[in-house]
Amino acid sequence: MITPAQREIDAPEGASSTVALKSSTPMPLPVRGDLIAGKYMVEEVLGRGGMGVVLSARHLDLDKRVAIKLLVDSRVPGASTRFLREARAAAKLESDHVVRVLDVGTREGGAPYLVMERLVGDDLGELLRTRGALSIGTAVGYVLEACEALAEAH
């Protein structure tokens, strides 16, 4: 059952089609076809977290797919400020191992969003479940890439 504090959104096959919004959250979640900032058309949900959701969208002018992270639960004091601080910090990172931030802004109603390059790849957890343990060389390669990203961040 969908409560008034939830709104349906197109999700990847097998995923839940709703994202729970806290009752004090004033912003409805965008649905497929909605525009964010007048230029990003929402396509589907890519993932969910405790306070946000990541959407796949298309930049209409550039005809390019992007990922948009939205803060959907701003009841935690300072959540919007921390979200925008994260966006600024991420935008400063320049590494092949860190997603690039393309845009940041605030939706009508005050909820912040972060636009990032849309990366396609395999989920490491799923890879381990389906294929089993990685070879030592592959695992070391992944760890080194993560270390390079961490070094850039610090």
Side-chain angles (χ1 to χ4, degrees), residues 6-134:
Q6 296 176 320
R7 183 160 177 207
E8 203 167 297
I9 186 161
D10 294 318
E13 191 172 322
S16 170
S17 63
T18 61
V19 174
L21 299 179
K22 307 301 182 199
S23 60
S24 64
T25 302
M27 297 274 326
L29 195 62
V31 296
R32 179 185 297 269
D34 282 355
L35 289 180
I36 295 175
K39 58 185 170 183
Y40 302 107
M41 184 174 290
V42 174
E43 295 178 333
E44 66 181 337
V45 173
L46 295 175
R48 296 171 180 82
M51 293 176 48
V53 62
V54 178
L55 307 171
S56 177
R58 180 165 300 281
H59 188 296
L60 295 177
D61 293 333
L62 300 177
D63 192 29
K64 181 176 179 148
R65 291 182 89 188
V66 296
I68 301 177
K69 183 177 181 179
L70 299 175
L71 181 66
V72 294
D73 182 358
S74 58
R75 294 183 306 163
V76 176
S80 292
T81 301
R82 283 198 318 269
F83 185 92
L84 292 172
R85 185 173 41 234
E86 171 192 332
R88 283 192 299 275
K92 293 176 183 175
L93 301 178
E94 295 182 18
S95 168
D96 289 337
H97 307 295
V98 177
V99 67
R100 285 170 179 72
V101 173
L102 306 174
D103 195 6
V104 66
T106 305
R107 295 172 55 209
E108 289 182 25
Y113 66 88
L114 170 65
V115 181
M116 302 165 285
E117 64 182 322
R118 169 77 161 88
L119 300 176
V120 178
D122 297 318
D123 178 275
L124 182 57
E126 183 62 28
L127 183 69
L128 292 172
R129 279 188 292 282
T130 59
R131 293 190 181 167
L134 303 174

Side-chain angles (χ1 to χ4, degrees), residues 95-98 124 134-153:
S95 168
D96 289 337
H97 307 295
V98 177
L124 182 57
L134 303 174
S135 71
I136 291 173
T138 300
V140 167
Y142 289 161
V143 169
L144 288 174
E145 289 179 5
C147 288
E148 288 180 36
L150 286 170
E152 174 65 25

